Amino acid sequence: MKARIQAPLATIEVVGTADPTLSWDEVWGLIQRFFDEEREDVEELIKHHGFVALFRAADDRRLVGLTALDVYPTEFEGRKVAVIFTSHSMLDEAFRGQNLMQRLGWRTFLRTRLRFPFHAIYWFYDSFSSNGYLLLPRNFRDFWPRRDAPTPAWEQGLMNHLAVQMYREAWQPSLGIVRRTGHKRLRAETARPQAEYDRDPDLAFYARANPGHAEGDMLVCLCPLTLVNLVTLGVRARQRARRLREAAAGGDR
């Protein structure tokens, strides 16, 4: 799955977590800017996954973001499912809103579809940051959990099936969260101001659904990568890119 994705502001490199060229010092230097976490624990968690996507600035190749990811098949209630799992996602604020995560997601979907042509594909991930959760309402039509509708029974069952496999006893199905380990916390300086939660209904929902996110509790999320969701993703990415071009043109006047 090793790959390189070019974008205007950054290059995305997908490498195996066992790749000897992967610099864990560099990875750790980025992570500790976002999270209060013990290095030994975070390295063990990321190495548990098959790959890590490294976001590098186009000008000087400094590391500005990363995502740990895995792709694997499973079966639930007679349906074959391919799972794209992500964790430890982070991106410097200056590089957000540039469709970088979306580019990675699209490329990962295409590779997964080629590998599993007849499986339903779901994106499954955990988030203890509001930025991670907002990827869903900002990019897709169908996803769970959400503020305006309950999770359907089959999808709730799939979520539980995947979470039990991934998190074992830390998974709290009645709450939809993974309990904190005590080894990972969001740094206070990276948290959003309370006023933003008050203004944004999706942020307010996330705060209600995962009230312990600042201490390390994680909300488990599920998104079907169906045709309608992929079209929605493409449309919203184009709208975002157009707004960026218009803003840049306005700044040049």
Side-chain angles (χ1 to χ4, degrees):
M1 189 176 171
K2 191 168 184 177
R4 180 186 295 266
I5 306 168
Q6 294 293 143
L9 290 183
T11 298
I12 308 168
E13 300 171 351
V14 182
V15 300
T17 53
D19 192 317
T21 65
L22 179 60
S23 170
W24 289 100
D25 288 339
E26 185 181 36
V27 168
W28 175 243
L30 178 71
I31 289 174
Q32 63 181 347
R33 288 166 45 200
F34 292 86
F35 305 128
D36 182 6
E37 194 166 10
E38 296 179 16
R39 177 167 177 168
E40 183 177 341
D41 293 317
V42 69
E43 286 192 19
E44 182 179 352
L45 286 170
I46 293 178
K47 287 176 180 177
H48 179 71
H49 307 304
F51 299 90
V52 61
L54 307 174
F55 298 79
R56 297 191 178 279
D59 55 357
D60 59 8
R61 290 190 48 77
R62 70 188 185 281
L63 189 63
V64 297
L66 69 83
T67 295
L69 63 107
D70 236 333
V71 176
Y72 61 92
T74 189
E75 189 168 327
F76 178 67
E77 293 188 354
R79 289 184 61 184
K80 293 182 178 180
V81 175
V83 179
I84 299 174
F85 175 77
T86 60
S87 184
H88 277 85
S89 296
M90 61 202 75
L91 191 63
D92 276 357
E93 187 171 358
F95 292 81
R96 295 173 192 166
Q98 306 289 334
N99 289 325
L100 293 174
M101 289 289 184
Q102 290 82 353
R103 286 174 183 264
L104 172 65
W106 175 244
R107 182 67 65 89
T108 305
F109 168 80
L110 291 177
R111 287 175 173 263
T112 304
R113 175 51 72 212
L114 288 173
R115 183 179 171 191
F116 302 106
F118 304 111
H119 288 51
I121 301 177
Y122 281 80
W123 178 26
F124 170 64
Y125 73 103
D126 55 62
S127 175
F128 78 130
S129 141
S130 58
N131 289 328
Y133 176 74
L134 285 180
L135 286 169
L136 294 178
R138 299 294 188 267
N139 292 281
F140 299 102
R141 191 193 75 171
D142 302 318
F143 59 88
W144 303 280
R146 57 189 304 144
R147 60 183 171 83
D148 55 358
T151 304
W154 192 89
E155 285 76 6
Q156 185 67 61
L158 176 61
M159 190 181 297
N160 183 68
H161 171 74
L162 298 176
V164 166
Q165 292 179 335
M166 183 64 63
Y167 307 107
R168 308 296 183 183
E169 65 278 358
W171 167 237
Q172 306 290 305
S174 62
L175 300 174
I177 64 171
V178 179
R179 284 296 188 193
R180 70 199 74 168
T181 63
H183 300 298
K184 180 179 179 181
R185 291 169 56 93
L186 189 66
R187 289 196 179 277
E189 58 269 25
T190 66
R192 290 175 180 269
Q194 182 58 45
E196 292 190 32
Y197 288 90
D198 296 337
R199 290 193 304 265
D200 189 318
D202 290 312
L203 283 174
F205 168 78
Y206 178 77
R208 293 193 304 271
N210 189 17
H213 64 276
E215 286 74 42
D217 288 348
M218 298 180 292
L219 184 69
V220 169
C221 302
L222 186 70
C223 179
L225 298 182
T226 56
L227 178 60
V228 67
N229 259 351
L230 293 173
V231 169
T232 304
L233 174 67
V235 169
R236 294 184 180 177
R238 290 186 66 180
Q239 292 172 340
R240 192 177 297 114
R242 186 177 66 248
R243 289 194 297 269
L244 287 171
R245 289 195 300 270
E246 291 172 350
D252 292 337
R253 292 183 187 139

